[in-house]
Amino acid sequence: MTGYQSPPTGDQPGAAVPSGSTDPGIDAFPLPRRCPFSPPAEYARLRAEHPVVRLPMLGGDTAWVVSRHADVRQVLSDPRMSADRRRPGFPKFAPTTESQRQASFANFRPPLNWLDPPEHAIVRRQIVDEFSVRRVRQLRALVERVVDTHLDALVAAAPGADLVSTFAYPVPSQVICEVLGVPYGEHEFFERRSTLMFRRSAPADERARCAREIRDFLDVVVSDKERRPGDDVLSRLLQQQRSAGDVDHEAVVSMAFVLLVAGHVTTSNMIALSVLALLNHPARLARLRAEPERFPAAVEELLRYFTVVEAATARTATTEVTIGGVTIGAGEGVVALGQAANRDPAVFEHPDEFDPDRDARAHLAFGYGRHVCPGQHLARLELEVALSRLFRRLPGLRLTTEVADLPLKEDGNIFGLYALPVAW
């Protein structure tokens, strides 16, 4: 297949930067992502010319959009930036009325990624050991078994398939289910609802319904763990609480929700996009096949290159903050634009090129600071094992449609592909 090239951004390090009050000509943020290999070209212009600028949001109101790597790191590590989505001024990525917004918080325990200190640190400590480097190393055999199981089914079915539905989605779904103790037999139920939850074009009531139904499903799972604990993360969370003297059922349901949804949606989209990128760079892929020990470094570059998460880095300033020389007022929303930061030429040379030989470890694909993704080590392992074993098992893997014809999640807060038709 002929290599598809990302459009050049044209920004230069050290370019003159106007103040945050200038108008960059963007009518609504975020913009749809219409190229599988690149963020919207306007994001490079923001980074070069308007690195801290106030923009109208798709969901209404305005928010500050921060796009340089150093400034994004500052936003994500500044204790004056709140991740609590219930705060007035929090950026709205999709149309939602105030009554719908308030209704979505009713009878709702905020998940880990919404919490601020000191509560955030207390809750995060409950799971940090479950997803540590040491613990994830122990999960390698599980990940390899799951990957091989789905590869066996793929090969047995036919010499062609949609790789999203047959491999990219099932692998991380089954892994996170087995790690948490959630029945994998229900994966279609929560996968469909998770996908719809992240579509900005879906009605707000539909998105809220999907979230509620997943939480109701997990409420039943956690209740079952209270009666019949197993060897899994949710059972151990409940045991921690019993040992401390009190079981907080709703807190465990909330943790199960964020770990289940984040644990399969992001990684499944990354697997599909990564396969596409490697098929689009056959020389790079050939070297990885010949030297499979290079896959972990390639995974870091793939994470940087795609940066699939768009909305998780939104914040609200709790007091006046200066970012990139621009003053952001208390109560104003801020979006730390990881897609632009991970293409910053001040940090990554030739950032629009896919180069698995580069040191990409400075990427912000998992966020930064106290809210950095707790499951990042598991995601890396899943990507490494899934990609290396897929291309070893199916050396003749090829795309069966044009890149331009692939259905993109262009309106998703998690970017990806709806389908990836392949043959071998």
Side-chain angles (χ1 to χ4, degrees):
M1 180 170 62
T2 304
Y4 180 104
Q5 297 299 318
S6 303
T9 60
D11 60 341
Q12 299 294 328
V17 177
S19 73
S21 62
T22 55
D23 180 7
I26 292 177
D27 294 331
F29 180 90
L31 297 170
R33 196 163 164 177
R34 295 195 167 100
C35 170
F37 304 119
S38 293
E42 292 88 344
Y43 290 179
R45 182 164 57 82
L46 287 180
R47 184 182 57 236
E49 300 175 8
H50 310 276
V52 183
V53 65
R54 199 162 190 173
L55 296 177
M57 297 292 294
L58 275 175
D61 298 328
T62 62
W64 292 95
V65 175
V66 177
S67 48
R68 290 186 302 201
H69 190 277
D71 295 338
V72 166
R73 280 173 45 128
Q74 181 184 344
V75 169
L76 298 181
S77 58
D78 195 312
R80 296 168 294 180
M81 292 290 178
S82 171
D84 189 344
R85 301 186 185 195
R86 297 165 297 179
R87 283 182 178 268
F90 194 89
K92 299 176 184 175
F93 283 74
T96 307
T97 66
E98 184 59 26
S99 61
Q100 289 171 327
R101 181 176 174 274
Q102 293 300 327
S104 67
F105 299 145
N107 304 316
F108 175 81
R109 182 70 64 88
L112 173 66
N113 55 321
W114 292 29
L115 301 179
D116 291 329
E119 187 181 6
H120 173 265
I122 295 170
V123 174
R124 188 179 174 104
R125 275 198 297 271
Q126 298 175 13
I127 61 160
V128 67
D129 287 343
E130 295 286 353
F131 297 96
S132 66
V133 173
R134 178 189 60 80
R135 175 58 180 151
V136 168
R137 285 198 193 105
Q138 297 170 353
L139 295 175
R140 177 174 283 272
L142 163 64
V143 175
E144 290 175 344
R145 170 175 59 79
V146 170
V147 168
D148 288 344
T149 296
H150 290 287
L151 283 175
D152 289 344
L154 192 65
V155 171
D162 165 29
L163 206 68
V164 170
S165 61
T166 59
F167 186 71
Y169 247 91
V171 165
S173 287
Q174 185 171 349
V175 168
I176 197 62
C177 280
E178 295 200 26
V179 168
L180 295 180
V182 173
Y184 177 64
E186 303 292 337
H187 70 100
E188 290 185 3
F189 170 87
F190 63 75
E191 287 172 3
R192 287 196 303 270
R193 286 157 179 78
S194 298
T195 298
L196 187 58
M197 272 174 52
F198 290 108
R199 288 186 64 181
R200 294 191 291 267
S201 60
D205 291 342
E206 281 290 291
R207 299 194 308 270
R209 177 186 60 79
C210 288
R212 185 172 60 252
E213 289 177 354
I214 294 174
R215 292 180 69 86
D216 290 346
F217 160 69
L218 290 170
D219 180 85
V220 174
V221 171
V222 172
S223 294
D224 184 62
K225 296 293 176 189
E226 290 170 346
R227 294 188 296 269
R228 293 182 292 275
D231 181 16
D232 52 67
V233 169
L234 297 183
S235 295
R236 287 191 287 274
L237 275 175
L238 290 165
Q239 182 56 45
Q240 279 184 43
Q241 294 187 350
R242 288 192 197 95
S243 299
D246 187 28
V247 173
D248 188 338
H249 175 91
E250 290 302 320
V252 178
V253 172
S254 179
M255 182 68 78
F257 179 87
V258 73
L259 292 176
L260 178 67
V261 173
H264 81 275
V265 172
T266 51
T267 308
S268 63
N269 285 304
M270 272 302 306
I271 290 173
L273 288 166
S274 297
V275 171
L276 177 62
L278 291 172
L279 291 177
N280 194 57
H281 293 81
R284 302 282 195 187
L285 176 56
R287 185 176 180 190
L288 286 170
R289 279 194 177 117
E291 303 174 51
E293 67 276 8
R294 303 178 66 85
F295 267 102
V299 163
E300 298 301 325
E301 171 66 350
L302 288 161
L303 288 163
R304 178 201 73 85
Y305 189 65
F306 286 113
T307 315
V308 297
V309 178
E310 183 141 42
T313 51
R315 300 288 187 267
T316 308
T318 60
T319 188
E320 189 175 281
V321 184
T322 299
I323 304 289
V326 176
T327 299
I328 295 171
E332 294 180 344
V334 182
V335 179
L337 188 51
Q339 294 177 31
N342 280 341
R343 299 289 181 107
D344 191 337
V347 179
F348 305 103
E349 188 175 4
H350 305 300
D352 296 313
E353 295 180 8
F354 170 62
D355 180 7
D357 292 328
R358 83 164 81 235
D359 183 354
R361 288 175 295 177
H363 71 75
L364 305 174
F366 290 116
Y368 188 74
R370 63 179 175 269
H371 279 284
V372 68
C373 175
Q376 60 177 308
H377 304 305
L378 179 58
R380 287 181 168 102
L381 175 64
E382 290 177 283
L383 284 165
E384 176 202 337
V385 173
L387 295 173
S388 61
R389 289 170 111 83
L390 172 69
F391 285 111
R392 184 181 69 190
R393 186 78 175 270
L394 302 175
L397 192 70
R398 66 188 185 278
L399 194 63
T400 58
T401 189
E402 296 297 323
V403 172
D405 294 331
L406 291 171
L408 306 181
K409 296 179 179 178
E410 60 182 40
D411 68 338
N413 286 334
I414 308 293
F415 182 64
L417 303 170
Y418 285 111
L420 183 64
V422 295
W424 55 89

